[in-house]
């Protein structure tokens, strides 16, 4: 099911619902995820300004998968940026060997 997330409060509501669906207490979930119970409380409350890496950690641990709906042009540019760049080799000259 797709649930639009347009505010920190909606993100918090989703995380709380996922935690409750797993029948986890907030402190137990925080410990299992590897975040503090204060952090998880703030996220569930919808506090702005939480660390994105920790928020993604919470999503992953609760089985929430994120997908972005973007235009075809944005997707194409994303894939170009995500592809590995060939390594440039520096041409050795006699001056650099001296």
């Amino acid at each position: 099911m797709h649930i639009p997330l347009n505010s920190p409060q909606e993100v918090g509501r989703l995380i709380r619902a996922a935690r409750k669906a797993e029948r986890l207490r907030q402190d137990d979930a925080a410990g299992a995820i590897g975040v503090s119970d204060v952090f998880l409380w703030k996220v569930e409350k919808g506090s702005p300004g939480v660390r994105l890496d920790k928020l993604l950690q919470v999503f992953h641990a609760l089985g929430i998968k994120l997908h972005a709906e973007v235009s075809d042009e944005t997707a194409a540019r994303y894939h170009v940026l995500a592809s590995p760049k060939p390594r440039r080799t520096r041409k050795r000259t006699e001056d650099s060997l001296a």
Side-chain angles (χ1 to χ4, degrees):
M1 170 178 254
H2 293 278
I3 299 174
L5 301 173
N6 297 306
S7 71
Q9 292 78 22
E10 290 174 350
V11 170
R13 193 174 306 124
L14 175 63
I15 289 171
R16 185 167 190 231
R19 176 181 60 78
K20 292 222 173 237
E22 295 292 324
R23 300 174 196 253
L24 292 170
R25 291 183 351 176
Q26 197 173 55
D27 58 340
D28 292 336
I33 294 168
V35 297
S36 73
D37 53 339
V38 172
F39 176 84
L40 189 56
W41 174 78
K42 285 182 179 181
V43 169
E44 289 186 6
K45 182 179 154 196
S47 297
V50 298
R51 285 183 43 186
L52 180 59
D53 60 332
K54 293 289 188 183
L55 181 59
L56 293 173
Q57 183 178 342
V58 171
F59 277 136
H60 178 74
L62 292 174
I64 301 170
K65 296 180 181 178
L66 297 181
H67 301 272
E69 289 187 33
V70 299
S71 68
D72 291 342
E73 183 174 339
T74 299
R77 289 180 183 263
Y78 170 83
H79 290 298
V80 167
L81 292 171
S83 66
K85 303 283 185 227
R87 293 186 73 190
R88 288 187 173 181
T89 57
R90 207 166 99 183
K91 191 174 182 180
R92 296 178 85 174
T93 63
E94 288 186 35
D95 290 340
S96 68
L97 297 174

